[in-house]
Structures are given as C-alpha cells and as structure tokens.
C-alpha cells in the first residue's frame, strides 16, 4: 500500500508556478477530524502542478466550523468577498448541505448530490465500566433525558446549531417524547438540563474525560463514533465505550461538496476528489476512526476497544421538516429571554390560598425566587410591583429591564442579586392592583424595544383581581393586545394567578390575545411545573391554541 507523504508545502500568497500566466487557489474546508487527510491530499495535488485553461491551481486545506461555511454559502456574509467561503467543503453531514440549500442563494451555490468520503454513526459514549449504564448494544436515546441517567451524570453534546451530532440528539429526543403539551414540557426540561454543558464545536473526548476523573460522575457524551475511536487509538488509561442506541441513529456521511460555477475550480475539485479515492487515503481515514461510506468498519477501526464493528441501525430521518424542527426546538428553548415581571402587591394578595395559609403573597415570593433561578445570566429582566397604593401609574419600578448579570447595585451587586433581595422582602402594599393598566404598560415596554434575538414576554404574578382599579376595562385591554400583537415580533403574556379565580375567564382571554397562557394554582408545589410549562410555550408561539 502506498504511503501518504505529507509534503507540507507552504504556499506564499501570490506565488506563480513556472509557465503559468496566473495562479488561483482551490480553497478546501473540512471538519477538524477530517483536516489531516484533506491537507495531505492538497499537498499531493500541489505536487502534481495542475493547470486548467492556462491557470495554475494550488490547493489550500483548513478546518472551518460548518455553521460558518453554511452561513457564507447561503448568502449570510456581510460582504461579497469572503475569506471563509471554500471551493470544496467537507462538513460532517449532508444535513448541512440541505440546510444551506434552504435559501435561494445556497441552492445556487452548491451541488445537489455530493459524494461521501467516509461514514461515522452518532453514538453515546462514556468510560468503559461506568456504573449505571446499559450494555453498549442495549442503550437507548432515553439515556440523554434527565430521568434516564443519574442526576450527577451530566450530558455533553454539541450545540445543534454547530454540529449534526447535536441535531441528531434533538431529533432523537423528539422522536422519544412525541408531540403535545406534556412532550413539550419534557423537551423543555431536557434542553434546560443539557444547555450548560453544551459545546460550541467538535467535542474532544480528552477535554471531557480528564485523567483521574470520577467514573460515577463521568459525563455521557453525544458524538461521532469516530471521536471515540480516535480517542481509544491513543491507548488511554480509561478507554471510552461507544453506546449504540437501539432505536437507530444518524450516519454522518462527510460529503465532498463543490461550490460555485468556475469550471477551472470544479475541474480541480474533481482531481482532488480522485486523489482522495486512492487506497492510501481510504486507509488513513480508517486509521483516524472513520467507517467506509457505506458504514462498514474495516481495517484498524474494527479492532479498536469500545467499538462494535457491526455498528448500529441507521436511518435517514434527519432531513426535511424533521431537520428544521430539531433546530427550531433547540433555538426556541435555549434562546435567552427578555421579560418584565409584574408582581401584584394589592390587598387581595394578603388572603390565604385555601383559608389556612400560606398567603398569596408568600407564594408569590417563592415563585419570584424560583423563577429567577430558572433564567440564565443572558436574560433581560425587570420587576414592577403593582398596586394603586403607589399612586401615579400604580406601580413601583423595583428593577429596570436589563441583563441579570449586569452590575447595578452597591459593591457591584448584579441585577439578579438585587432582584433576589427585592423578592425576599416583598410586602403587601394594599389597595387595588391596577392590573389591566399595568399589563398594557408592560406590554408596551417590552414591545417598544423588541429584541429579535430573545424571547420577549411579560410574566404576571397576581391574585387575578383588577376590581375596577384600572382606567381601562377588560374588554379594552383584550382589544388593545389583539391589535398590537405581531406574529413576526411576538410579545407573549404568561399569567400565574394564585387562589380561586372569579375572573379566570377574563385572565384567560388576556393571555390568549398574545398566544400566551394562564395558570391558576392554589398549590405552591406546582410553581416549578408552571414555569416549565410556560417556557415550553415557546415551541408554539405565535400559533398556540387555547
């Protein structure tokens, strides 16, 4: 078998090969795992001194994140000329090709049926012998759910916007959970659980599993089988075990994608592809942990520990609407929030929930603190205490709208810390709530400076009674909200009413006018589930039913 010789040719910008009137560069971008082979092929290509229609072409290979390439090819670049856009693109999956072709520009830029260079199924992985995990061939995607693994065993996966292994996990979870409100709440729980341990690029197992780490708390990781194989090929003290989901998984196909319409570059790309089809390169891919394009584990890969040569069942379900839905679920649920919270401190909040305590206000305190803990630092949040006892607009602006991690108090206290202190000390102010007036004002506050990169909402914690304390009526408020609600820029109302509600129908109409929700409770233990349900509402806005 011929060996691959790494020529490592340094190509100064503007160099011209002898006899060439002009020199152009074939830019090749691939994944980090594929880069060594692409660089070697580029070196061999350059050594052959290719000329096309009087133009010398030299190949330059690098690794660039696939989401950046997709953005460029789909027309997302700010300028016409880009330092990112390649002539040949080798992402980890044809899913990126499909996403690129969603835009008209992307559909024009890249070929429709690229050829596969290698294969690697998306698997789950953990250290061999890790406790509490099933046999590698009897694993299921339910392992990634919060209730499917030990509470102290985190799940690590790549952000679905950055890697198809992350998209695969989201698709598998949705298939596992199904659809409907209960499924959406469980999906919300999953995203919130995994979000903090999400990677923003290809996962290096050496960074996830440091030497001497506790196996009991070792992470469960979603990643390509190739990454497990490459890690184990270095003979680590604690090899990883690839766990193959019984329900099936996605086979990453590492497509060789040509872009643009320059016939010289397309011809050069064809010659580069021919080089990559040589036996030495195919063997090198196997040594790096890749399967053949048809999923066969050949050569060195078949003999590695932690790898099942037979591999898992694979499917092509991650395409079309399912592909877009996997990204939409993640993006809606992981997107930061921008919200004004209205906390009712009117006289009605002093009443007991069920006649025996706690009071509505005491539950509101707990709800405010719990809700605060559920929102990440990127959240913009403000707090209004509402009662006509404050005079004027019937509210006290306890904290203006801004990021939770922003320093706003004495000694550098953050907005989160200031809000927590306010929540702990909330007291009944008395009087009426001015509920309707303040709901409309809060809606205007959020909508007037709408942030397209966040979920914009108003959260209301209330006894549910306006009692004529507002200048506007219930009917006028609903009409105003219906008129102002813009499906393209939705501001959604989430109302949590404590105790029995004589005005439940009115509150439901107010929330419904913005594709929001009303939750009525007299059980403090339900507050966490209510917040989770409200967050899951993001999956249907602006087209939620009643």
């Amino acid at each position: 078998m011929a060996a691959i010789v790494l020529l490592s040719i340094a190509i100064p910008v503007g160099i011209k090969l002898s006899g060439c009137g002009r020199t152009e560069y074939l830019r090749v971008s691939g994944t980090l795992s594929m880069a060594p082979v692409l660089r070697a092929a580029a070196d061999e290509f350059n050594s052959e001194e290719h000329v096309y229609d009087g133009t010398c072409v030299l190949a330059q290979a690098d690794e660039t994140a696939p989401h950046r390439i997709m953005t460029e090819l789909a027309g997302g670049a700010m300028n016409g000329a880009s330092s990112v856009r390649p002539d040949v693109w080798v992402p980890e999956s044809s899913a990126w090709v499909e996403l690129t072709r969603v835009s008209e520009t992307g559909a024009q830029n890249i070929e429709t049926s690229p050829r596969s260079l290698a294969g690697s199924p998306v698997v789950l992985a953990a250290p061999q012998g890790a406790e509490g995990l099933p046999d590698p061939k009897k694993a299921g995607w339910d392992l990634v759910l919060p209730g499917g693994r030990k509470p102290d065993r985190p799940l690590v996966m790549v952000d679905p916007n950055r890697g198809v292994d992350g998209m695969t996990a989201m698709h598998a979870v949705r298939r596992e959970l199904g659809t409907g409100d209960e499924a959406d709440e469980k999906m919300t729980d999953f995203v919130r659980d995994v979000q903090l341990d999400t990677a923003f690029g290809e996962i290096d197992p050496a960074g996830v599993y440091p030497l001497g780490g506790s196996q009991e708390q070792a992470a469960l990781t979603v990643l390509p089988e190739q990454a497990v194989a490459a890690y184990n090929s270095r003979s680590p003290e604690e090899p990883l075990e690839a766990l193959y989901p019984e329900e099936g998984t996605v086979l990453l196909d590492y497509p060789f994608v040509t872009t643009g319409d320059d016939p010289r570059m397309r011809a050069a790309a064809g010659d580069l592809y021919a080089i990559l089809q040589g036996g030495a390169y195919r063997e090198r891919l196997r040594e790096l942990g890749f399967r053949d394009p048809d999923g066969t584990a050949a050569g060195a890969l078949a003999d590695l520990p932690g790898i099942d040569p037979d591999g898992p069942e694979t499917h092509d379900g991650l395409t079309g609407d399912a592909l877009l839905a996997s990204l939409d679920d993640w993006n809606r649920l992981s997107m930061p929030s921008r919200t004004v919270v209205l906390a009712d401190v009117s006289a009605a909040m002093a009443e007991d929930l069920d006649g025996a305590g706690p009071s509505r206000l005491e539950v509101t305190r707990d709800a405010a603190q719990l809700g605060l803990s559920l929102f990440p630092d990127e959240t913009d949040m403000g707090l209004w205490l509402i009662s006509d006892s404050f005079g004027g607009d019937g509210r006290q602006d306890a904290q203006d709208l801004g990021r939770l991690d922003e320093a706003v108090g004495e000694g550098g206290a953050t907005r989160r810390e200031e809000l927590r202190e306010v929540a702990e000390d909330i007291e009944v102010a008395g009087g009426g709530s001015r509920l309707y007036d303040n709901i409309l004002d809060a809606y205007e506050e959020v909508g007037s400076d709408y942030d397209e990169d966040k979920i914009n909402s108003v959260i209301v914690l209330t006894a549910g009674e306006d009692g004529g304390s507002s200048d506007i009526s219930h009917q006028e408020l609903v009409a105003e909200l219906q008129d102002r609600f813009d499906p393209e820029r939705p501001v959604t109302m989430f109302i949590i009413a404590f105790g029995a509600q004589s005005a439940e129908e009115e509150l439901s109409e107010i929330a419904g006018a913005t594709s929001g929700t009303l939750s009525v409770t007299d059980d403090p233990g339900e507050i966490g589930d209510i917040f989770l349900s409200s967050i899951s509402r993001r999956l249907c806005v602006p087209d939620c039913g009643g």
Side-chain angles (χ1 to χ4, degrees), residues 97 101 107 110-114:
V97 177
R101 292 181 57 81
I110 61 177
E111 62 180 306
T112 56
S113 301

Side-chain angles (χ1 to χ4, degrees), residues 105 166 273 533:
T105 302
Y273 178 78
S533 176

Side-chain angles (χ1 to χ4, degrees), residues 112-398:
T112 56
S113 301
R115 297 155 289 186
S116 172
L117 291 180
S120 188
V122 177
V123 300
L124 307 175
Q128 287 185 349
E131 297 180 2
L133 293 176
D135 181 274
K137 293 185 178 181
K138 296 182 179 180
W141 281 110
D142 59 332
L143 279 176
V144 306
L145 297 173
R149 52 194 155 82
K150 292 183 177 181
D152 55 357
R153 187 185 300 285
L155 176 71
V156 176
M157 62 180 248
V158 71
D159 184 312
N161 294 293
R162 308 293 182 93
V164 176
D165 37 345
M167 299 179 206
T168 299
M170 287 297 294
H171 177 60
V173 169
R174 177 54 78 186
R175 283 170 49 137
E176 178 77 18
L177 297 178
T179 58
D181 291 345
E182 184 178 351
D184 285 350
E185 289 179 27
K186 291 180 179 179
M187 175 64 83
T188 303
D189 195 22
F190 166 72
V191 171
R192 296 189 67 80
D193 176 69
V194 73
Q195 193 173 0
L196 291 177
D197 293 307
T198 299
F200 292 97
E202 290 185 58
I203 295 173
D204 179 3
V208 178
Y209 302 103
L211 292 177
S214 169
Q215 284 209 354
E216 292 184 1
Q217 299 179 0
L220 181 69
T221 310
V222 181
L223 75 178
E225 180 194 60
Q226 181 274 333
V228 178
Y231 180 80
N232 286 353
S233 69
R234 298 192 289 269
S235 301
E237 292 184 13
E238 296 178 352
L240 296 181
E241 189 78 58
L243 308 176
Y244 300 93
E246 288 184 299
E247 307 93 329
T249 187
V250 169
L251 181 69
L252 305 179
D253 61 340
Y254 299 87
F256 184 93
V257 186
T258 56
T259 74
D261 55 7
D262 186 329
R264 297 168 304 172
M265 292 304 166
R266 284 192 172 270
D271 288 337
L272 180 66
Y273 178 78
I275 290 173
L276 286 163
Q277 293 306 292
Y281 290 94
R282 288 191 172 279
E283 191 58 34
R284 178 60 178 143
L285 286 169
R286 293 163 183 157
E287 291 171 356
L288 289 173
F290 292 98
R291 290 175 180 257
D292 290 349
D294 64 0
T296 301
L301 176 62
D303 299 325
L304 281 174
I307 299 297
D308 179 5
D310 293 336
E313 292 291 329
T314 59
H315 62 77
D316 57 2
L318 189 63
T319 186
D321 290 342
L323 172 60
L324 296 176
S326 70
L327 290 170
D328 193 49
D329 278 355
W330 175 267
N331 289 334
R332 288 187 181 232
L333 292 172
S334 63
M335 186 181 292
S337 298
R338 183 172 181 272
T339 187
V340 170
V341 179
L342 307 186
D344 185 351
V345 291
S346 66
M349 294 296 286
E351 300 174 7
D352 289 346
L353 279 180
D354 57 7
S359 71
R360 285 167 165 164
L361 186 75
E362 289 173 322
V363 176
T364 297
R365 283 197 201 107
D366 293 341
Q369 294 182 66
L370 175 60
L372 188 61
S373 70
L374 293 175
F375 289 94
D377 286 343
E378 298 81 15
T379 301
D380 289 342
M381 183 176 288
L383 174 64
W384 296 358
L385 307 181
I386 60 174
S387 165
D388 61 10
S389 295
F390 294 127
D393 294 330
R395 63 176 174 267
Q396 176 183 321
D397 190 349

Side-chain angles (χ1 to χ4, degrees), residues 462-510:
T462 181
E465 302 173 11
D466 182 84
S469 60
S470 293
D471 293 335
I472 62 172
S473 67
H474 164 260
Q475 293 86 352
E476 290 170 332
L477 173 60
V478 172
E480 287 284 351
L481 293 174
Q482 289 174 334
D483 184 59
R484 300 178 191 206
F485 183 73
D486 181 354
E488 300 299 320
R489 296 165 60 90
V491 177
T492 309
M493 191 79 56
F494 299 114
I495 302 175
I496 303 176
F498 302 108
Q501 292 299 313
S502 59
E504 183 170 346
E505 183 176 348
E506 288 87 346
L507 294 174
S508 181
E509 290 178 358
I510 292 169

Side-chain angles (χ1 to χ4, degrees), residues 91-105:
E92 78 272 27
S93 169
S94 291
W96 286 114
V97 177
E98 184 171 349
L99 289 171
T100 304
R101 292 181 57 81
V102 168
S103 76
E104 183 177 349
T105 302

